[in-house]
Amino acid sequence: MATNPTDSQQQTSFSNLRHDETVLKQMEQISEEIARRFPLVDKTESVLNLKDEYKEDEVFLTKIDNVADAYSKFRRVRGDGNCFYRAYAYLLFECCKADTALYERTLPKLENTLKWLIDLGLPAFTTEDFYETFMDTLREYVTGAEKTEEDLLGVFNDDGMSNYLVVYVRLLVSGQLQHKADNYIHFVDGGYTTMKEFCDKEVMPVDKEADHLQVMAITECLEFPLKIIYVDRSPGPPTEIKFPDNSNPDVVLIYRPGHYDILYK
């Protein structure tokens, strides 16, 4: 027989609810403040400006100096859980604009991805929507003779458009991991028993950060290699990792714990 909650239980429940609402409101305010202060993708600035964030940390200061010996500028990408995917998409657009041969190699690969993803079991209607936005935006930017860096920044700082592009990169990662599951499954931990389960929980949720496996997948999927320079508290100079490891990438990201930005010579 069901019993009615006591006044004390009701008060506790209401108190917990108010606490949850307060926490959610605080999180929303923090997100709004981040959005006001930091563009999704910013203009380039000196790598040495990173030292302002680590004024009392000699390990990081030394490693930033090491990075500055080889790279003069970096481009901030908002740290919202999408920074890797957004940075990778931005670099792809930027490099395709600058390198016609790269664009001509990459475009057919991308054009084949819609059918490939649908054949893997992704929903046709929504996948096609993200695909068409990605492809139309890429073609318009690369083939538009008048298009400049400011135009690309405008695209990537438009919340709706930028997030559509991010989602399609996530779809490509998910597709690659599931298509080549036997190659990647041994990198998966956390109790996942199938690659689809991993992708549903670790790749597709918006704001879920990318890790080593996701980086491997997208660089192999599009054959657009990448180098990441890791600036952390490990001993020695910054670690550099190429994706794939036998590649010679022209594009570089800098990784600080939990966050990726773009590096330039």
Side-chain angles (χ1 to χ4, degrees):
M1 180 177 177
T3 59
N4 294 325
T6 65
D7 289 344
S8 176
Q9 288 172 326
Q10 287 180 333
Q11 289 174 355
T12 300
S13 178
F14 290 143
S15 176
N16 289 338
L17 179 59
R18 286 194 297 270
H19 174 73
D20 291 343
E21 290 174 344
T22 300
V23 170
L24 286 172
K25 186 174 182 180
Q26 289 172 341
M27 291 175 65
E28 289 173 359
Q29 290 172 341
I30 291 170
S31 296
E32 290 171 359
E33 177 63 19
I34 290 172
R36 283 193 297 270
R37 292 180 58 196
F38 302 106
L40 290 169
V41 182
D42 210 343
K43 296 180 179 180
T44 58
E45 59 185 283
S46 170
V47 167
L48 293 175
N49 289 353
L50 286 169
K51 297 176 79 170
D52 294 339
E53 301 176 31
Y54 303 99
K55 291 179 180 178
E56 306 299 326
D57 195 318
E58 289 301 324
V59 173
F60 274 90
L61 291 173
T62 299
K63 290 196 173 189
I64 292 167
D65 281 333
N66 294 153
V67 173
D69 288 340
Y71 299 91
S72 63
K73 297 179 180 180
F74 82 111
R75 188 186 300 280
R76 295 182 191 270
V77 182
R78 187 187 296 170
D80 60 359
N82 294 306
C83 55
F84 169 77
Y85 298 99
R86 205 179 310 276
Y88 190 82
Y90 187 94
L91 282 169
L92 181 66
F93 278 54
E94 185 177 55
C95 291
C96 281
K97 178 74 169 177
D99 185 345
T100 301
L102 171 65
Y103 178 62
E104 292 176 348
R105 290 196 308 272
T106 303
L107 191 62
K109 292 185 181 73
L110 285 166
E111 289 173 338
N112 291 331
T113 57
L114 177 60
K115 182 179 183 302
W116 173 65
L117 290 171
I118 292 172
D119 288 346
L120 286 169
L122 277 75
F125 179 77
T126 52
T127 302
E128 184 174 2
D129 193 22
F130 290 114
Y131 165 82
E132 289 180 349
T133 299
F134 193 95
M135 297 302 293
D136 289 348
T137 307
L138 177 64
R139 289 192 188 99
E140 181 180 350
Y141 175 67
V142 173
T143 62
E146 77 288 356
K147 297 295 185 182
T148 66
E149 176 185 317
E150 290 298 320
D151 295 301
L152 189 59
L153 285 170
V155 167
F156 275 84
N157 280 297
D158 179 296
D159 278 347
M161 178 64 73
S162 191
N163 290 333
Y164 254 63
L165 302 178
V166 165
V167 169
Y168 199 68
V169 178
R170 288 182 179 273
L171 286 168
L172 293 175
V173 171
S174 178
Q176 178 71 10
L177 290 174
Q178 293 182 67
H179 179 61
K180 299 286 188 180
D182 290 345
N183 295 349
Y184 297 115
I185 194 67
H186 58 282
F187 292 104
V188 172
D189 54 20
Y192 297 110
T193 57
T194 68
M195 188 58 77
K196 184 179 186 308
E197 182 186 5
F198 174 83
C199 290
D200 288 346
K201 297 290 182 63
E202 300 294 337
V203 178
M204 290 315 304
V206 176
D207 304 339
K208 195 75 173 181
E209 294 179 357
D211 208 341
H212 192 97
L213 183 57
Q214 290 90 321
V215 180
M216 289 174 56
I218 191 61
T219 53
E220 291 173 7
C221 175
L222 294 183
E223 298 179 10
F224 181 57
L226 178 72
K227 179 164 69 176
I228 299 179
I229 297 178
Y230 291 85
V231 174
D232 54 26
R233 300 200 63 80
S234 60
T239 302
E240 298 185 3
I241 300 181
K242 298 175 181 179
F243 297 86
D245 59 11
N246 61 349
S247 64
N248 187 27
D250 293 320
V251 295
V252 186
L253 297 183
I254 181 172
Y255 175 86
R256 294 170 289 150
H259 184 64
Y260 297 88
D261 289 311
I262 303 172
L263 275 178
Y264 297 92
K265 292 284 189 180

